[in-house]
Amino acid sequence: TRVLSTMAEDRILSDRFLSTRFCILFVMAISIAVSFLGRNALEWFVELTTFGAIVGFGYTSASAWRVARAERNRTVQASGILGTLITAAFAVVQLIPKLTVFETMGAESFLMLALWCLLGFFFYWRTMQQGNLAEYNGASISSTVLFSLLLYSCVMWFLLRCIEHSETYTARAGLYRDGTVLILLITVGLIVMLYIQNLLRRKHEKLERDMIRTEESSLAKTRFLFNMSHDIRTPMNAIIGYTKLALKEEHSPVVGDYLGKIENASEHLLDLINDILEMSRIESGTIELEEVPCDLCALMDELRNIFANQMAEKEINFTVEAQDLKHRFVLCDQRNLNRILFNLLSNAYKFTPKGGTVEVSLRQIHAPEAQDAQRSHFELRVRDSGIGMSEAFTEKMFHAFERERTSTVSGIQGTGLGLAITKNLVDLMGGTIDVITAPGRGTEFSLVFPFALAEAAAEQDCVSEEEPDFPLTGLKLLLVEDNAVNREIAQLLLTEAGFTVDSAENGLIALETVKASEPGTYAAVLMDIQMPVMDGYEAARAIRALEDTRKNRIPIVAMTANAFKEDEQAAMSAGMQGHIAKPLDLDTMLKTLRRVLRDAHCQKEGSVHA
């Protein structure tokens, strides 16, 4: 009855078999019918169930061996192999008559086994029709094995019947009758097997078509979002840029209030665009981890510096601690780790009232599964004394665009994507994330990451010392930008920062300008990417191909609305040394220029000394 109920749960049998009472009545009815076959029927069923037990034990042993091999458990592997070999031996003895002194199955038992295999084919066909192809990997092999067993059982039944009939006067009549049954059983089994194979082929083709459609749809969505990103960032650059410039001019308090609100709304819209695109990249699988040496202590210090001022403005008690760190240098994707922590701290800041507490702690732990000496587990905790979350919301908090609809948070801006992005990035990095929260009692996130430890040489590179300030005032730049509005904003920002700026409308004009200029005229080139006549990549490669080494080494920085990681890599591949994403942020722009110009200066000094 338990087997029948389980088959009904898997939709192999009718839902009626979910009832124990129905199962008992069904077994009782079969038992009563079989009793009319005589006392020998008991022997047939014992032989048949013995063979079923052999198959079940063998399947279990083989499965245990396969799982143990994946888990590298040698003890279970050995027992699984031993069980499989024992099963094979018993199966051979059971199926081949006169092989040993033990009794094997009789003619009637082989006929029942053939009928049982045929019944199994029908159940197999019915189950596959109602299920998904992914649930039946290896179905072609198993159906072939089942047909082979059916064929063998029929042949053995026929041979044993022939031996029995040879001793009676009805040999010829019995031979014709048994031969007809033999052909009928094999024919039906072959037809069902071929039908199952054809069903598998059709379902496989359908699955492939669905996968192709899904991939094409995902690719089209990603391409659309990437293009929209560029198209939206261009006017966003104008809105944010002109707003920042207007705030520096003389204006009335009312105008200043309006401009401040425009700036806040613009930044919120930009966050929304970035989150949607980030989520799209995660769903399409285009995000790849880039593990680099990282100083966890420096990362925590940087996190404290970023949030310290806004936490202080809200009078939130903000603490960042690193405890029990035996290894502070690890290999990890620092950019995505920063994104995770930034999302969690941003939420903690938003939902913690004035005078509350936000705490961040990092410690090195030793989880049981950490058997590799070159890796260790690190636990990050972010706690706040904010409004907390309800139990109902925690079940869907990591779903995209989910926000708890309460009067407390209705006025707080958010995309509803921060936690979804965080969960996906944590999974991508092989970590775990847990949350403890309750309404009015704050929220605590606990994250555990398995990081590879950095080697000694990498640890030295990971140490971040205070970099000397590199003077930028008075340097001359070549700005390459086809959009007049973006060109004006960039010129105004750079001029305010102390640069002298020349401009070019496309890559070809920029190339000719660099060719015609004296070596050293321009300290760097700020290059847009999508431009008419010649785009930024082509222009950068052409400049790098100039014969004059004093000109082909000029630093080139991409300044573009193509803001993704792969865009940055494409810029580096084209020979550029930096990447600035639009909308332009003056601090980020100056930091990138300072780094690129300092590196170029160091390389020049090194070549002179050499």
Side-chain angles (χ1 to χ4, degrees):
T1 59
R2 184 61 202 146
V3 171
L4 294 173
S5 297
T6 303
M7 294 175 70
E9 290 173 359
D10 291 336
R11 297 171 63 189
I12 298 173
L13 294 178
S14 169
D15 291 342
R16 292 182 179 180
F17 287 94
L18 292 173
S19 168
T20 303
R21 183 177 183 179
F22 184 85
C23 291
I24 293 174
L25 292 175
F26 178 79
V27 173
M28 184 185 299
I30 291 180
S31 302
I32 293 173
V34 170
S35 66
F36 289 101
L37 298 176
R39 184 179 299 176
N40 291 336
L42 180 61
E43 182 181 346
W44 307 339
F45 274 92
V46 169
E47 291 175 350
L48 191 62
T49 53
T50 300
F51 182 76
I54 292 172
V55 173
F57 182 77
Y59 185 85
T60 305
S61 299
S63 300
W65 168 76
R66 184 173 181 179
V67 173
R69 186 179 62 172
E71 297 177 350
R72 298 181 180 179
N73 188 329
R74 294 184 179 179
T75 303
V76 179
Q77 275 185 273
S79 64
I81 293 175
L82 181 61
T84 305
L85 294 176
I86 292 174
T87 299
F90 271 93
V92 170
V93 171
Q94 186 80 2
L95 292 176
I96 302 179
K98 308 301 181 180
L99 185 65
T100 65
V101 295
F102 298 105
E103 290 288 339
T104 58
M105 295 197 302
E108 293 81 1
S109 299
F110 275 113
L111 178 61
M112 291 183 65
L113 180 58
L115 293 173
W116 192 254
C117 292
L118 193 59
L119 183 62
F121 264 126
F122 283 107
F123 278 117
Y124 208 173
W125 162 70
R126 185 174 184 273
T127 304
M128 285 171 36
Q129 270 196 323
Q130 297 178 354
N132 297 321
L133 182 64
E135 300 174 9
Y136 305 103
N137 294 328
S140 297
I141 297 175
S142 58
S143 61
T144 303
V145 171
L146 187 60
F147 178 75
S148 300
L149 182 60
L150 168 66
L151 180 62
Y152 178 81
S153 302
C154 290
V155 171
M156 288 304 302
W157 166 74
F158 183 74
L159 291 176
L160 291 175
R161 289 287 291 174
C162 287
I163 294 173
E164 293 175 4
H165 285 306
S166 64
E167 300 176 356
T168 66
Y169 65 91
T170 58
R172 179 170 295 186
L175 181 64
Y176 290 151
R177 184 183 66 248
D178 293 345
T180 302
V181 174
L182 171 69
I183 294 173
L184 181 63
L185 287 174
I186 293 176
T187 302
V188 173
L190 182 61
I191 292 173
V192 176
M193 186 192 71
L194 293 176
Y195 181 83
I196 290 175
Q197 300 280 7
N198 186 51
L199 178 64
L200 278 172
R201 181 183 58 78
R202 293 201 308 268
K203 294 189 76 171
H204 183 69
E205 291 175 353
K206 182 179 182 300
L207 181 64
E208 285 188 337
R209 289 195 299 270
D210 292 342
M211 289 177 62
I212 292 173
R213 291 194 191 100
T214 302
E215 290 176 359
E216 289 177 348
S217 176
S218 177
L219 184 62
K221 183 181 73 171
T222 302
R223 189 183 299 115
F224 169 76
L225 289 171
F226 281 13
N227 292 335
M228 286 300 297
S229 169
H230 181 275
D231 294 341
I232 292 175
R233 285 174 186 276
T234 299
M236 285 297 299
N237 184 54
I239 295 170
I240 294 176
Y242 282 128
T243 301
K244 289 183 176 180
L245 290 171
L247 284 169
K248 295 179 181 180
E249 302 293 333
E250 292 186 6
H251 51 258
S252 66
V254 175
V255 173
D257 180 57
Y258 292 160
L259 291 174
K261 291 177 179 177
I262 293 173
E263 185 178 36
N264 291 336
S266 301
E267 291 176 353
H268 175 60
L269 179 58
L270 184 61
D271 289 340
L272 177 61
I273 294 169
N274 290 335
D275 285 348
I276 292 175
L277 292 170
E278 188 78 5
M279 198 65 202
S280 174
R281 282 160 51 82
I282 291 172
E283 290 176 348
S284 62
T286 56
I287 288 186
E288 295 182 1
L289 296 182
E290 184 181 358
E291 293 190 341
V292 296
C294 171
D295 182 352
L296 293 177
C297 291
L299 184 145
M300 299 296 283
D301 290 339
E302 183 180 354
L303 197 69
R304 182 192 294 110
N305 295 335
I306 291 174
F307 284 91
N309 289 336
Q310 54 182 318
M311 294 287 186
E313 290 176 0
K314 202 173 177 180
E315 298 181 10
I316 293 176
N317 183 22
F318 180 51
T319 58
V320 179
E321 295 180 341
Q323 307 168 345
D324 303 328
L325 288 187
K326 296 180 180 179
H327 303 90
R328 59 185 285 184
F329 301 101
V330 299
L331 295 176
C332 71
D333 190 316
Q334 186 171 346
R335 176 176 172 272
N336 283 326
L337 183 58
N338 275 328
R339 179 67 187 271
I340 291 169
L341 291 172
F342 186 86
N343 285 346
L344 294 179
L345 277 174
S346 295
N347 281 345
Y349 170 77
K350 287 179 185 176
F351 300 112
T352 300
K354 185 177 180 180
T357 300
V358 174
E359 300 175 354
V360 183
S361 64
L362 169 68
R363 67 188 184 98
Q364 188 172 354
I365 61 175
H366 301 282
E369 62 270 22
Q371 300 174 357
D372 189 350
Q374 300 302 316
R375 303 182 73 84
S376 187
H377 286 65
F378 296 83
E379 182 187 56
L380 275 161
R381 289 184 177 271
V382 179
R383 293 183 291 269
D384 66 64
S385 60
I387 61 176
M389 293 177 282
S390 65
E391 183 178 354
F393 180 71
T394 55
E395 297 178 359
K396 56 182 180 179
M397 61 186 295
F398 294 121
H399 296 174
F401 299 105
E402 287 290 346
R403 298 186 66 203
E404 190 164 20
R405 309 299 177 183
T406 65
S407 59
T408 313
V409 300
S410 60
I412 299 178
Q413 291 183 337
T415 63
L417 285 171
L419 288 179
I421 292 172
T422 297
K423 179 66 166 62
N424 280 279
L425 291 178
V426 170
D427 291 342
L428 193 64
M429 296 173 70
T432 61
I433 180 170
D434 297 302
V435 61
I436 301 174
T437 184
R441 297 185 180 181
T443 302
E444 178 178 356
F445 287 95
S446 174
L447 301 90
V448 176
F449 294 99
F451 289 143
L453 305 179
E455 298 179 359
E459 291 187 9
Q460 293 297 326
D461 296 335
C462 189
V463 177
S464 58
E465 299 178 355
E466 190 67 26
E467 298 173 346
D469 191 20
F470 188 84
L472 300 178
T473 305
L475 297 179
K476 191 172 187 179
L477 303 175
L478 176 61
L479 173 64
V480 189
E481 172 64 69
D482 65 311
N483 186 285
V485 172
N486 288 339
R487 191 165 59 244
E488 180 182 6
I489 292 173
Q491 281 182 314
L492 290 171
L493 291 174
L494 292 168
T495 302
E496 278 192 3
F499 291 100
T500 302
V501 183
D502 287 346
S503 62
E505 296 178 4
N506 58 59
L508 182 60
I509 297 175
L511 175 62
E512 297 300 330
T513 302
V514 172
K515 279 184 181 179
S517 65
E518 291 293 325
T521 301
Y522 297 108
V525 177
L526 295 175
M527 184 79 72
D528 188 23
I529 299 300
Q530 293 190 19
M531 294 182 293
V533 185
M534 179 183 286
D535 66 31
Y537 297 140
E538 294 179 64
R541 294 189 185 98
I543 292 174
R544 293 289 177 250
L546 294 175
E547 295 182 359
D548 191 336
T549 56
R550 296 173 296 174
K551 294 180 181 179
N552 63 24
R553 294 180 180 177
I554 184 172
I556 304 176
V557 178
M559 191 171 69
T560 172
N562 298 344
F564 299 108
K565 185 68 178 178
E566 50 266 37
D567 299 318
E568 184 177 346
Q569 293 172 349
M572 302 301 112
S573 300
M576 303 187 193
Q577 286 76 40
H579 182 274
I580 302 171
K582 297 175 182 174
L584 298 178
D585 178 76
L586 183 59
D587 293 336
T588 303
M589 187 162 54
L590 294 179
K591 182 180 179 180
T592 303
L593 282 171
R594 185 173 284 110
R595 176 185 60 78
V596 170
L597 293 173
R598 184 183 60 251
D599 291 346
H601 177 74
C602 292
Q603 290 178 2
K604 183 178 179 181
E605 290 293 325
S607 62
V608 169
H609 289 305

